[in-house]
Amino acid sequence: MKKLVFSLSVLALTLGSCSSNDDEGTVQPIPTGEISGDITTAKTYPLGNYTLQGTVKIKNGGSLTIEAGSTITANNSDGTADALLVENGGKLYLNGTAAQPIVFTEASSTPGSWGGIIMFGDAPIVGSNGNTTATSEDGNNLTYGGTNATHNGGSLKYVRVEYAGKKLTDNTSEMNGFSFYSVGTGTVLENLVAYKGADDGFEFYGGTVSTKNLISYGNFDDSFDWQDGWRGQENTNWYAYQTQTGNYGMEIEAKSVNNAFWPVVSNITLKRAAGTVTEGGTSAAEYDAIQFKKEGNGEYNNVVISGYTTAGATAVRIQDVATNTNQVDGGKIKMLNVKITDGTSQFAAKDATFTVTFPTGNYTTSTTTTGATLTSGAWSIVNGVNLIQ
């Protein structure tokens, strides 16, 4: 059962005496309370400050709406695995604004403290061995995949998720800032921030959904990651800033299936601050801006890359022979209008066993490339720091 307990305290401000000419004003109370349990009907939370207790599941037929400007706080110290999970058939409506974002955070401000926002749909995937369904890797073990390309999981606008990326006790199940399992094109994902999580900022597990205006800041693993044949076609304005700890700017794979489709992303900025190391230390060699592996592919246009200057790093890494043969040589990877602002090499193979050569026109550079173009506001500012560096 979901429960919302409103604060009963009201701060009243009385101006002057009680004469007929005096004005009286009241500061309205800010609702507080707890969000917990399963949501099976339509529930709305007004602007307020709430606590997230455990894994809140929006079930098939249920919906959750939280109004702009609200803050929802998880608490790792109580021992529960906090997360907000939308099951297939559930709807999540988080429509903040640039001035009043909806913020999900954690009481201790410690990366990896909770599970972030997880959404499931029934849009198509291509899993291992070409399977059309798979089991989630978030510890919930839910089946995802289907044939509903237009799946609609709701609308997320101007939402910031802080300190997520919880790693579960089995040491293999992980959560991200935002996890999208077979989410479809009917879902709206705009102006989202994944801030200082202990895993990926954004991860797509198949599906057809597209996104615009994403910020991945200070996440320990990859800024953007996907698998299972994700094929969003209208993605734009992705911005990543890796600082202190971070692996790839973008990790791209397709479960070793040579798909006849691919995602399209325009206007990308990938930045890495000086001194940033990978999760396993620099020797782990996950320090490239973009990695393609296991038949990952896609078209990427207007890309700015800077700061990936660790010895041996490159802007674009092809990790295996199959990806090089089927995706690079096959014309299914296009890197267009790339601008590298330092001495990082353009692209390279994993090792000397094969050579990467893009077909003419499939890897181009430009000195006028702008990368992501985002407008800052309260949605992109944390503790007085503008995340758009």
Side-chain angles (χ1 to χ4, degrees), residues 115-138:
I117 294 177
I118 308 168
M119 182 177 289
F120 286 84
D122 54 356
I125 73 163
V126 179
S128 298
N129 302 313
N131 292 331
T132 57
T133 62
T135 301
S136 66
E137 63 179 41
D138 58 357

Side-chain angles (χ1 to χ4, degrees), residues 261-274:
F261 51 80
W262 48 82
V264 177
V265 189
S266 64
N267 308 324
I268 303 167
T269 297
L270 304 175
K271 291 186 176 182
R272 191 175 181 88

Side-chain angles (χ1 to χ4, degrees), residues 93-281:
Y93 299 104
L94 303 174
N95 292 318
T97 67
Q100 288 189 299
I102 298 172
V103 178
F104 289 79
T105 190
E106 195 276 330
S108 69
S109 301
T110 303
S113 295
W114 70 293
I117 294 177
I118 308 168
M119 182 177 289
F120 286 84
D122 54 356
I125 73 163
V126 179
S128 298
N129 302 313
N131 292 331
T132 57
T133 62
T135 301
S136 66
E137 63 179 41
D138 58 357
N140 292 291
N141 298 317
L142 295 178
T143 299
Y144 63 99
T147 59
N148 180 18
T150 60
H151 157 264
N152 180 355
S155 175
L156 279 62
K157 297 181 179 180
Y158 293 102
V159 179
R160 186 166 71 240
V161 168
E162 303 175 349
Y163 313 116
K166 187 177 184 66
K167 298 181 186 298
L168 302 185
T169 54
D170 62 6
N171 293 319
T172 59
S173 299
E174 300 174 343
M175 304 181 190
N176 308 291
F178 294 86
S179 302
F180 300 113
Y181 286 91
S182 55
V183 174
T185 58
T187 309
V188 176
L189 303 175
E190 300 178 0
N191 296 89
L192 308 180
V193 178
Y195 177 81
K196 290 191 175 181
D199 204 74
D200 301 322
F202 298 85
E203 184 154 6
F204 302 87
Y205 301 84
T208 56
V209 70
S210 293
T211 64
K212 71 178 183 179
N213 304 337
L214 303 186
I215 298 174
S216 181
Y217 186 100
N219 293 293
F220 286 6
D221 196 355
D222 310 312
S223 298
F224 305 101
D225 189 356
W226 60 90
Q227 55 183 288
D228 296 327
W230 174 62
R231 62 192 85 179
Q233 295 293 293
E234 299 179 2
N235 302 279
T236 189
N237 288 328
W238 286 13
Y239 181 94
Y241 187 80
Q242 296 181 292
T243 179
Q244 297 183 325
T245 303
N247 294 335
Y248 300 111
M250 293 166 58
E251 184 174 35
I252 302 166
E253 68 161 281
K255 290 293 179 68
S256 299
V257 178
N258 183 13
N259 295 310
F261 51 80
W262 48 82
V264 177
V265 189
S266 64
N267 308 324
I268 303 167
T269 297
L270 304 175
K271 291 186 176 182
R272 191 175 181 88
T276 299
V277 299
T278 63
E279 283 185 293

Side-chain angles (χ1 to χ4, degrees), residues 48-115:
N49 299 318
Y50 305 105
T51 299
L52 186 71
Q53 179 65 37
T55 299
V56 174
K57 296 180 180 180
I58 306 172
K59 310 294 284 187
N60 183 12
S63 69
L64 171 63
T65 300
I66 303 176
E67 293 186 355
S70 296
T71 298
I72 301 90
T73 304
N75 190 345
N76 187 49
S77 65
D78 62 10
T80 62
D82 299 331
L84 179 56
L85 188 151
V86 188
E87 294 188 2
N88 182 30
K91 298 285 195 299
L92 177 61
Y93 299 104
L94 303 174
N95 292 318
T97 67
Q100 288 189 299
I102 298 172
V103 178
F104 289 79
T105 190
E106 195 276 330
S108 69
S109 301
T110 303
S113 295
W114 70 293

